[in-house]
């Protein structure tokens, strides 16, 4: 937010420099992102009086002028300006001066023009960086002609044209919407400098009138207060220079006195306002309501918008005349012929304004303030009174006695009861009582003491103050953070720091996947409802029961994730489209689901793996198994069907009797829909469920004295028999088998109808003695017998 130094001085007697004030503001919690001196690029430019004008001896379009620059002496200036004349007061850039030129800074030196010495240059408004709002005639095609009463020969031009000023660009935090104005910042300046605050004038007359413009608010939750006031005998003209200059310092061009008043109040008090031409208010009525679906409005910038029920409108008896909190309608704008005005000062719900502004792509200075928050009671009331005062001060209308004020709920003063000891306990230091009381009083709090305790009535504009910790913050930011002495809290203790056991497990889990060639991905915790459609999840699927974001950035990020697979699939598609044709990623993150009876959703940690390009289902399965083995877990895999996975290349992941995830190749139809020409595989595990069964400690054994032995086994089984079933049967039959790996599947009519051959490599672990042939034969026969008994398998 831009705040002119000169404007602040109207409310506070500031006796320090702008640079010193910048430091003071920073010390009390306001970051000045930039402090700009307006005249920094205009140096050594003086006021000069043209004594004589003579035609250049060798150039018809040049004039040789003698100029009196007061204490700087008389100078000879050669100029091409056609509006120069003897007796004129003009800005003169002397030798060594700098002025603005074509977006940059130009240095002026004494030189010759067609053989005649020129000791400087006359300046136009553009070369001083000003417009008509700074000084009359600044946009004339020629040099700037100064008024006699404004300047004196030899004086610095900067205070004459209004650029001898500083602009504070202040970053106002979200919790301090009361400081979105010059007067709001002046309150803080007065408090930090311990100076009295001078309030602007709010007085005005109240002429009799028979006109009535009633206001009806149909959505009090979205518009807690609406104030309107009728002004007659309006004469639309140009605002005085002081007002236009202040608007210009803050980046707003002057339009007309009525419109400028609304902008001035916005900058001065932070209250957005609007003025309607009463002659264009059909039915002499104002209605605040939601838009009808498909209703249209054309705003002041001549853009037409199609609206929906989420948009709040200001309407007359027949049609919309403004987008509430965003911009007025073209059909009721102030025109040169306007004679009657109905002023509006209201408060609107910040989320309503934000949704409308974002959805329509229509932002304004008013919407920016409403989105951050405008105090609903104090601000509209004082904003209206200030606007009516300015109408009288500028003489552009007659303020009548008629005004409408609709308020959904009366203002209640917030009282915080606490004690000085409680504030000191928060701060860890002892602040003198007189200092605490003085700081709170200067900030607008009404302090009433009762012994060691006191109550503080919170000023209407401070909605951010809720309890005594907030009061402690107010005290210390004014008292000075440098007073804080580092100390331990009462229950604090010195610790070695480090990670918790759960964090160590997570880190080890991630490292295991990293060892398998997977890189960690980080995604937003929300995505689009369309992602559920992409996965072809049925309407009643539990994954579709997602937490919806109240104020989403866009529809693409409007629901919290209930499953991680869509985010990983988006990562794969994005990488392939950018030329990364193969890769491996994983993400360990929370998913969210609505919690019945709870305001906040339930969170559960899951892990998703994605593989594309090189590798297949079995590579991904190997990574899952490796992650389990690192924590002493043995995952099971059973045939599973998922709408987004290949029906023949997918499986359910189990741990004991519990289902803990899925694994498989992306469904070909979804791959075709995404134009994904590379094979993609996904796996997702319930990390919360599997981490609950992580082995507390991994037992390590020394390397065996004797080598392992291996044998190959091929058995004929029915087509329905799975690899997992055979493997489980083998491992159950003989504890000496350390590993059973499938390496071949063979099908042939000679095996019999509905039969297949599966070949496994069995690894036998040696014990305290070497494995001999007899022992291996015994193990082998036991395994074959068990397979035949349980699965009907025949040795091939």
């Amino acid at each position: 937010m831009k705040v002119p130094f000169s404007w602040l001085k109207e409310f506070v007697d500031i006796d320090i420099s702008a640079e010193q004030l910048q430091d003071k503001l920073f010390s009390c919690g306001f970051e000045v992102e930039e402090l700009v001196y307006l005249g920094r690029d205009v140096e050594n430019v003086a006021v000069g009086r043209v004594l004589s004008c003579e035609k250049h001896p060798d150039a018809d379009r040049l004039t040789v002028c003698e100029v009196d620059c007061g204490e700087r002496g008389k100078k000879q200036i050669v100029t091409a300006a056609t509006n120069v004349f003897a007796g004129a007061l003009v800005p003169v850039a002397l030798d060594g001066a700098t002025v603005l030129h074509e977006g940059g800074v130009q240095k002026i030196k004494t030189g010759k023009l067609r053989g005649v010495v020129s000791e400087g240059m006359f300046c136009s408004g553009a070369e001083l960086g000003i417009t008509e709002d700074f000084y009359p005639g600044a946009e004339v095609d020629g040099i700037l002609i100064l008024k006699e009463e404004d300047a004196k020969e030899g004086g610095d031009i900067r205070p004459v044209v209004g650029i001898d000023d500083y602009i504070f660009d202040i970053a106002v935090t979200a919790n301090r919407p009361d400081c979105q104005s010059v007067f709001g910042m002046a309150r803080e300046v007065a408090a930090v400098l311990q100076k009295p605050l001078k309030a602007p004038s709010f007085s005005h007359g109240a002429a009799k009138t028979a006109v009535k413009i009633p206001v009806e608010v149909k959505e009090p939750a979205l518009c807690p207060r609406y104030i309107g006031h009728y002004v007659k005998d309006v004469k639309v003209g140009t605002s005085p220079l002081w007002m236009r200059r202040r608007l210009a310092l803050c980046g707003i061009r002057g339009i007309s006195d009525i419109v400028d008043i609304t902008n001035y109040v916005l900058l001065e008090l932070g209250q957005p306002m609007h003025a309607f031409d009463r002659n264009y208010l059909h039915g002499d009525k104002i209605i605040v309501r939601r838009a009808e679906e498909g209703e249209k409005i054309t705003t002041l910038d001549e853009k037409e918008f199609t609206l929906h029920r989420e948009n709040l409108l200001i309407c007359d008896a027949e049609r919309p005349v403004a987008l509430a909190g965003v911009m007025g309608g073209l059909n009721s704008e102030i025109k040169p012929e306007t004679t009657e005005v109905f002023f509006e000062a209201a408060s609107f719900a910040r989320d309503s304004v934000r949704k409308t502004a974002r959805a329509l792509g229509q932002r304004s200075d008013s919407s920016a303030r409403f989105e951050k928050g405008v105090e609903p009671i104090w601000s509209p009331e004082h904003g209206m009174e200030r606007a009516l005062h300015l109408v009288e001060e500028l003489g552009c209308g007659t303020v009548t006695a008629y005004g409408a004020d609709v308020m959904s709920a009366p203002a209640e003063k917030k009282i915080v009861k606490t004690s000085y000891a409680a504030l000191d306990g928060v701060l860890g230091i002892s602040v003198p009582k007189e200092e605490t009381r003085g700081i709170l009083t200067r900030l607008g709090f009404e302090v009433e003491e009762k012994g060691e305790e006191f109550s503080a009535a919170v000023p209407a504009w401070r909605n951010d103050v809720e309890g005594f910790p907030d009061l402690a913050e107010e005290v210390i930011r004014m008292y000075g953070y440098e007073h804080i002495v580092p100390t331990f809290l009462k229950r604090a203790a010195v610790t070695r720091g480090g990670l918790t056991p759960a964090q160590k497990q997570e880190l080890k889990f991630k490292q295991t996947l990293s060892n398998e060639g997977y890189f960690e991905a980080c995604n937003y915790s929300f995505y689009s409802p369309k992602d559920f459609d992409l996965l072809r999840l049925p309407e009643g699927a539990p994954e579709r029961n997602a937490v919806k974001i109240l104020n989403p950035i866009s529809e693409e990020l409007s629901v919290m994730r209930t499953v991680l697979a869509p985010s990983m699939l988006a990562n794969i598609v994005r990488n392939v489209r950018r030329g990364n044709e193969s890769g491996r990623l994983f993400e360990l993150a929370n998913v969210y689901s609505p919690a019945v009876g709870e305001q906040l959703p339930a969170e559960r940690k899951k892990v998703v793996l994605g593989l594309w390009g090189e590798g297949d289902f079995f590579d991904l399965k190997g990574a899952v198994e490796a992650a389990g083995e690192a924590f002493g877990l043995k995952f099971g895999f059973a045939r599973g069907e998922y709408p987004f996975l290949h029906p023949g290349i997918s499986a359910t992941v189990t741990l004991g009797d519990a289902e803990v995830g899925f694994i498989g190749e992306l469904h070909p139809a979804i791959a075709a829909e995404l134009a994904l020409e590379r094979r993609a595989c996904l796996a997702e595990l319930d990390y919360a469920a599997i981490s609950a069964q992580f082995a507390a400690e991994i037992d390590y054994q020394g390397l065996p004295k004797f080598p392992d032995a291996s044998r190959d086994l091929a058995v004929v089984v029915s087509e329905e028999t799975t690899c997992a079933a055979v493997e489980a049967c083998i491992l159950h039959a003989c504890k000496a088998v350390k590993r059973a790996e499938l390496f071949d599947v063979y099908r042939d009519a000679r095996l019999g109808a509905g039969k297949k051959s599966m070949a496994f490599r069995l690894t036998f672990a040696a014990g305290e003695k070497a494995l001999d042939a007899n022992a291996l034969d015994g193990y082998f026969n036991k395994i074959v017998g068990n397979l035949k008994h349980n699965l009907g398998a025949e040795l091939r």
Side-chain angles (χ1 to χ4, degrees):
M1 185 188 70
K2 291 181 170 56
V3 179
F5 193 32
S6 58
W7 204 344
L8 283 175
K9 288 181 176 179
E10 180 176 315
F11 303 119
V12 184
D13 292 327
I14 301 175
D15 54 4
I16 60 176
S17 68
E19 290 81 4
Q20 290 172 314
L21 182 58
Q22 178 184 18
D23 295 337
K24 291 281 188 181
L25 288 173
F26 183 80
S27 69
C28 66
F30 293 93
E31 180 186 357
V32 180
E33 294 184 331
E34 188 177 17
L35 178 62
V36 178
Y37 179 59
L38 288 180
R40 66 187 184 279
D41 296 327
V42 179
E43 291 282 350
N44 199 28
V45 179
V47 176
R49 185 178 296 278
V50 179
L51 301 177
S52 63
C53 297
E54 301 290 341
K55 191 175 182 180
H56 192 288
D58 295 322
D60 293 338
R61 296 186 179 181
L62 297 178
T63 302
V64 181
C65 303
E66 185 180 6
V67 185
D68 180 10
C69 294
E71 296 179 353
R72 305 176 192 234
K74 294 181 179 180
K75 307 293 180 181
Q76 179 174 280
I77 306 294
V78 180
T79 180
T82 57
N83 63 333
V84 66
F85 59 90
L89 278 176
V90 295
V92 184
L94 303 174
D95 183 54
T98 57
V99 295
L100 293 167
H101 180 69
E102 296 182 351
V105 178
Q106 180 183 13
K107 191 166 186 176
I108 306 302
K109 295 183 179 180
T110 299
K112 290 185 178 181
L113 291 177
R114 301 293 290 272
V116 177
V117 173
S118 180
E119 298 176 281
M121 180 186 78
F122 294 145
C123 298
S124 65
E127 287 156 338
L128 299 176
I130 61 173
T131 63
E132 290 283 344
D133 290 334
F134 280 87
Y135 200 89
E139 297 179 30
V140 170
D141 185 16
I143 63 174
L144 178 63
I145 306 299
L146 305 174
K147 296 181 179 180
E148 291 289 337
E149 62 272 19
D150 293 338
K152 182 180 180 182
E153 295 91 335
D156 190 341
I157 193 62
R158 291 177 292 195
V160 176
V161 297
I163 58 174
D164 186 27
D165 202 353
Y166 287 87
I167 302 295
F168 293 86
D169 191 352
I170 302 173
V172 179
T173 53
N175 67 318
R176 295 302 305 274
D178 59 295
C179 292
Q180 297 181 103
S181 64
V182 176
F183 186 65
M185 287 308 308
R187 279 195 295 253
E188 297 295 318
V189 172
V192 74
L193 296 182
Q194 301 185 32
K195 299 277 188 177
L197 176 68
K198 294 177 283 186
S201 178
F202 299 103
S203 63
H204 60 80
K208 293 182 179 180
T209 181
V211 173
K212 303 291 182 184
I213 308 175
V215 174
E216 180 184 1
V217 178
K218 293 187 175 182
E219 297 290 338
L222 303 184
C223 179
R225 190 170 193 182
Y226 189 102
I227 301 176
H229 207 102
Y230 171 61
V231 176
K232 64 179 183 178
D233 303 331
V234 171
K235 302 176 184 65
V236 177
T238 303
S239 303
L241 182 61
W242 64 266
M243 177 175 283
R244 287 186 285 117
R245 183 177 287 175
R246 284 182 175 175
L247 293 176
L249 289 172
C250 297
I252 298 178
R253 290 296 303 263
I255 298 174
S256 66
D257 42 19
I258 295 296
V259 176
D260 290 351
I261 285 173
T262 63
N263 287 331
Y264 191 85
V265 172
L266 171 74
L267 296 174
E268 186 179 56
L269 299 181
Q271 172 61 47
M273 294 195 64
H274 188 64
F276 299 102
D277 188 326
R278 182 240 171 170
N279 292 321
Y280 291 92
L281 292 179
H282 295 179
D284 264 355
K285 188 175 183 180
I286 289 291
I287 303 172
V288 183
R289 61 170 175 83
R290 290 182 183 270
E292 299 295 337
E293 203 67 39
E295 194 169 9
K296 297 182 182 294
I297 187 174
T298 302
T299 50
L300 288 169
D301 55 0
E302 301 183 3
K303 294 179 182 178
E304 185 181 72
F305 297 99
T306 301
L307 309 174
H308 54 81
R309 291 286 297 166
E310 289 295 318
N311 305 134
L312 189 67
L313 290 176
I314 311 299
C315 307
D316 58 21
E318 301 175 4
R319 63 199 175 150
V321 292
L323 271 172
V326 180
M327 190 174 291
L330 188 64
N331 52 17
S332 60
E333 70 171 328
I334 303 300
K335 301 180 179 66
E337 59 271 19
T338 297
T339 58
E340 297 173 277
V341 165
F342 189 71
F343 278 105
E344 166 195 287
S347 58
F348 301 109
R350 64 174 72 183
D351 58 331
S352 173
V353 175
R354 181 168 56 250
K355 287 178 181 178
T356 296
R358 287 183 178 176
L360 302 180
Q362 187 77 338
R363 296 183 66 86
S364 63
D365 290 332
S366 294
S367 69
R369 281 168 171 77
F370 278 123
E371 287 180 36
K372 292 180 180 177
V374 172
E375 191 282 319
I377 306 301
W378 183 93
S379 184
E381 181 179 325
H382 285 76
M384 179 61 75
E385 298 301 317
R386 180 60 173 160
L388 298 178
H389 170 83
L390 290 171
V391 167
E392 287 192 348
E393 183 177 338
L394 271 58
C396 56
T398 300
V399 178
T400 71
Y402 179 76
D405 188 349
V406 180
M407 185 164 52
S408 60
E412 294 184 5
K413 185 168 289 189
K414 191 186 301 181
I415 307 293
V416 177
K417 295 182 178 180
T418 185
S419 65
Y420 292 106
L423 299 192
D424 290 346
V426 172
L427 301 176
I429 60 173
S430 180
V431 180
K433 296 179 182 179
E434 297 76 14
E435 190 70 35
T436 298
R437 184 171 56 250
I439 289 172
L440 293 176
T441 301
R442 291 196 297 274
L443 288 171
F445 294 84
E446 298 175 13
V447 179
E448 185 176 336
E449 292 182 329
K450 291 182 179 179
E452 289 297 313
E453 298 183 347
F454 69 90
S455 62
V458 181
W461 57 85
R462 291 301 302 274
N463 288 336
D464 60 305
V465 176
E466 296 291 340
F468 75 91
D470 297 316
L471 295 182
E473 181 183 356
E474 295 300 302
V475 170
I476 195 59
R477 71 186 183 87
M478 289 294 171
Y479 186 56
Y481 292 104
E482 67 276 6
H483 290 95
I484 294 180
V485 179
T487 183
F488 279 117
L489 297 175
K490 290 181 179 179
R491 299 180 184 177
V494 178
T495 65
R496 295 177 60 188
L499 302 176
T500 64
Q503 290 172 329
K504 291 178 181 179
Q505 287 181 333
E506 280 190 26
L507 190 60
K508 179 181 176 181
F509 192 88
K510 292 179 180 181
Q511 188 61 52
T512 302
L513 293 178
S514 179
N515 294 341
E516 294 294 316
Y518 289 78
F519 290 90
E520 185 174 6
C522 294
N523 294 291
Y524 289 127
S525 295
F526 25 79
Y527 44 45
S528 170
K530 296 177 182 178
D531 286 329
F532 299 133
D533 299 329
L534 177 64
L535 295 188
R536 304 187 174 187
L537 296 172
E539 285 301 321
E543 293 85 356
R544 286 186 178 271
N545 184 25
V547 178
K548 296 181 179 179
I549 307 298
L550 290 177
N551 303 307
I553 298 173
S554 69
E555 182 65 20
E556 301 302 314
L557 299 170
S558 60
V559 297
M560 302 295 288
R561 295 193 293 183
T562 58
V563 59
L564 301 180
S567 298
M568 182 56 67
L569 183 55
N571 290 341
I572 293 173
V573 172
R574 188 180 303 111
N575 273 276
V576 171
R577 290 177 180 173
R578 295 183 180 178
N580 298 324
E581 296 187 351
S582 65
R584 301 183 181 198
L585 295 174
F586 78 90
E587 181 184 11
L588 180 61
N590 285 337
V591 295
Y592 305 85
S593 58
V596 179
E598 298 291 335
Q599 186 176 5
L600 297 177
E603 301 181 28
R604 192 169 183 85
K605 193 157 288 186
K606 291 193 174 185
V607 60
V608 63
L609 290 79
L611 175 151
W612 71 97
E614 299 176 359
D616 56 15
F617 172 90
F618 295 102
D619 291 286
L620 189 60
K621 177 173 175 286
V624 172
E625 290 176 323
E629 289 177 5
F631 292 91
L633 303 179
K634 179 66 176 178
F635 290 120
F637 300 89
R639 189 182 301 275
E641 292 187 7
Y642 299 88
F644 50 91
L645 296 180
H646 194 298
I649 315 176
S650 58
T652 296
V653 183
T654 60
L655 185 59
D657 296 329
E659 181 180 324
V660 294
F662 61 80
I663 182 173
E665 185 176 314
L666 183 65
H667 198 291
I670 298 178
E673 184 179 339
L674 296 172
L676 191 60
E677 298 179 355
R678 311 291 291 178
R679 173 188 291 172
C681 298
L682 297 170
E684 185 163 328
L685 302 176
D686 187 341
Y687 181 83
I690 65 176
S691 63
Q693 299 190 45
F694 283 170
E697 294 183 1
I698 303 298
D699 293 329
Y700 294 93
Q701 297 178 352
L703 293 175
K705 298 178 181 179
F706 305 100
D708 294 339
S710 64
R711 279 197 178 184
D712 293 344
L713 168 67
V715 291
V716 178
V717 295
S718 65
E719 189 67 50
E720 291 76 21
T721 304
T722 65
C723 172
V726 177
E727 181 182 346
C729 192
I730 293 172
L731 295 176
H732 182 72
C734 182
K735 294 182 179 180
V737 178
K738 184 167 67 174
R739 189 162 50 250
E741 298 174 287
L742 177 72
F743 67 86
D744 184 57
V745 177
Y746 174 71
R747 292 177 175 87
D748 191 277
R750 290 174 291 180
L751 295 175
K755 298 289 185 176
K756 64 181 177 181
S757 171
M758 303 179 73
F760 289 84
R761 176 156 294 143
L762 310 182
T763 303
F764 297 88
E768 293 299 323
K769 58 182 180 178
L771 290 169
D772 55 23
N774 291 331
L776 290 175
D777 288 342
Y779 294 152
F780 193 82
N781 292 332
K782 187 177 181 181
I783 291 169
V784 172
N786 200 48
L787 288 171
K788 183 174 182 178
H789 176 74
N790 291 292
L791 301 177
E794 296 290 341
L795 188 64
R796 182 181 167 196

